[in-house]
Amino acid sequence: MLAMDYRGPRRVRAAQKPMPEIKHPQDAIVRVTRACICGSDLHLYNGNVPDTRVGTTFGHEFTGIVEEVGPEVTKVKVGDHVLVPFNVACGECHFCKQGMFGNCHESNTQASAVGGIFGYSHTAGGYNGGQAEYARVPYANVGPTVIPAGMDPDDAVLLTDVVPTGYQAAEMAGIQPGDTVVVFGAGPIGIMAARCAWLFGAGRVIVIDQVDYRLEFARNYAKCEAYNFNEMADPVVFIKKTTDFMGADVCIDAVGAEASGNAMQTITGRKLLLQAGSATAIHWAVNSVKKGGVVSIVGVYGPTDNLVPIGNVLNKGLTIRANQTSVKRLLPRLIEHVQNGIINPKALITHRIPLEEVADGYRIFSDKLDSCIKTVLISPSAKI
Ligand SMILES: [Zn+2]
Ligand SMILES: [Zn+2]
């Protein structure tokens, strides 16, 4: 089968690989119909995630038709069109039972923090992802969810990560009616977080980024204010001024370790590698939220960052909330929001690229070419 193949930093290609096989009685094999490239795939693509092995297939956002199931699979059957949450979760452990499907204790033997994630290096369990014609889906009674009749597969594929992650960012922020919410990052997750902030009763939503076409997209899609940090002396001062020097009620970090915009962070994190990436967005979030406010983090970071202003977290009495998204927990509500037209996920998709051209897909997305917001890869056997 054809699959995306990682060859080393900034080198990916489409290659022929063996078909995945059922390895466990609860596995399913799906024929992939849609697979997105995610902002967090760029951390892998750039070689910033430990133990990203040459020869692996990325892709944690995908939909597909069930082709084959193991003998213990009862919740999905051959022929079902399913969306597959990015978390690999057992559904039975202490954490899954609390709805913390992103922190499953069984699906990732390599780490004590994050659970398994499809196509996200051996630090997240070593599962091959869905940027391929076929994928093996473990714990098929837990994750894969039948796409409701009438739902566009383009909407469904964004329910595997972008919509729930944006929503959870807003949920973790504990937004109160009338709150001023600042979202750092105008990628698909930041845009979705801004959209979802309104659902929790925000009174004002501000997005900060440096890519003008994405700021424009955020303004239109999320009906928010959006500003370019390169056009302001200091985003922290800007936010203080625009909130009567109180600070934002809530700040959401939807950027993560690839952030730019702060020289010290860039030098120590991205050039000298003294810390695991650049913590610019956390820095700005902590310093621009009001005393007693909440910082909600969904941007992806490595295990350590040294330049996080933890003293300010203490002195301002902040609450920091962060987690990998628990997709399965949120799906029932979010499927309803999509069906009722409250959230329109597919509007984020700007590019549809054949799987054969996956290298171009990564380059366009990574370099923010051609006004790219979200890229979907279509495999030759998608047929839908
Ligand atoms: Zn993703
Ligand atoms: Zn579990």
Side-chain angles (χ1 to χ4, degrees), residues 265-316:
Q265 295 281 358
T266 304
I267 291 165
T268 55
R270 296 167 70 190
K271 303 257 190 280
L272 301 178
L273 303 178
L274 290 177
Q275 55 176 352
S278 147
T280 306
I282 297 182
H283 206 94
W284 285 343
V286 165
N287 289 339
S288 53
V289 78
K290 73 175 183 188
K291 289 183 267 191
V294 180
V295 174
S296 168
I297 304 171
V298 288
V300 171
Y301 288 92
T304 56
D305 271 289
N306 303 312
L307 291 178
V308 175
I310 196 72
N312 293 357
V313 174
L314 171 74
N315 288 336
K316 292 175 77 172

Side-chain angles (χ1 to χ4, degrees), residues 340-364:
N340 294 337
I342 291 170
I343 298 176
N344 173 15
K346 66 173 179 286
L348 293 171
I349 296 173
T350 50
H351 287 66
R352 308 171 76 79
I353 292 182
L355 180 61
E356 296 90 318
E357 295 166 26
V358 64
D360 286 338
Y362 270 84
R363 194 175 51 81
I364 290 167

Side-chain angles (χ1 to χ4, degrees), residues 36-41 60-61 86 120 160-162 165 189 374:
C36 296
I37 302 176
C38 177
S40 61
D41 289 332
H60 58 267
E61 304 180 3
F86 77 83
Y120 213 80
T160 63
D161 183 359
V162 171
T165 299
I189 302 289
K374 190 72 180 171

Side-chain angles (χ1 to χ4, degrees), residues 106-312:
E106 296 294 327
S107 60
N108 180 9
T109 53
Q110 307 300 318
S112 55
V114 74
I117 300 175
F118 286 100
Y120 213 80
S121 87
H122 279 67
T123 47
Y127 298 95
N128 274 320
Q131 291 169 6
E133 288 187 280
Y134 295 86
R136 181 175 77 93
V137 177
Y139 305 109
N141 291 325
V142 181
T145 301
V146 176
I147 299 171
M151 182 179 281
D152 190 322
D154 286 350
D155 282 327
V157 76
L158 294 177
L159 283 166
T160 63
D161 183 359
V162 171
V163 179
T165 299
Y167 187 89
Q168 185 169 311
E171 181 193 59
M172 287 192 300
I175 297 165
Q176 301 297 311
D179 272 359
T180 296
V181 176
V182 174
V183 180
F184 292 97
I189 302 289
I191 291 169
M192 189 55 68
R195 171 69 192 91
C196 290
W198 297 115
L199 303 180
F200 290 86
R204 188 179 177 196
V205 180
I206 299 170
V207 171
I208 307 280
D209 198 288
Q210 63 173 339
V211 182
D212 283 325
Y213 78 80
R214 291 190 162 188
L215 291 166
E216 185 60 27
F217 193 99
R219 269 181 217 114
N220 291 327
Y221 182 87
K223 309 288 178 243
C224 60
E225 300 166 52
Y227 303 103
N228 189 327
F229 64 73
N230 290 323
E231 290 166 12
M232 46 184 76
D234 180 345
V236 175
V237 173
F238 171 82
I239 291 162
K240 290 266 173 70
K241 278 187 180 163
T242 193
T243 55
D244 285 332
F245 293 93
M246 292 295 280
D249 298 295
V250 161
C251 284
I252 294 173
D253 170 2
V255 178
E258 295 288 313
S260 50
N262 177 301
M264 181 66 94
Q265 295 281 358
T266 304
I267 291 165
T268 55
R270 296 167 70 190
K271 303 257 190 280
L272 301 178
L273 303 178
L274 290 177
Q275 55 176 352
S278 147
T280 306
I282 297 182
H283 206 94
W284 285 343
V286 165
N287 289 339
S288 53
V289 78
K290 73 175 183 188
K291 289 183 267 191
V294 180
V295 174
S296 168
I297 304 171
V298 288
V300 171
Y301 288 92
T304 56
D305 271 289
N306 303 312
L307 291 178
V308 175
I310 196 72
N312 293 357

Side-chain angles (χ1 to χ4, degrees), residues 304-339:
T304 56
D305 271 289
N306 303 312
L307 291 178
V308 175
I310 196 72
N312 293 357
V313 174
L314 171 74
N315 288 336
K316 292 175 77 172
L318 304 187
T319 299
I320 306 276
R321 294 204 60 196
N323 204 350
Q324 292 283 350
T325 310
S326 178
V327 177
K328 184 184 164 70
R329 177 178 65 82
L330 295 168
L331 272 179
R333 183 177 319 162
L334 295 177
I335 286 173
E336 230 174 77
H337 280 345
V338 172
Q339 287 177 320

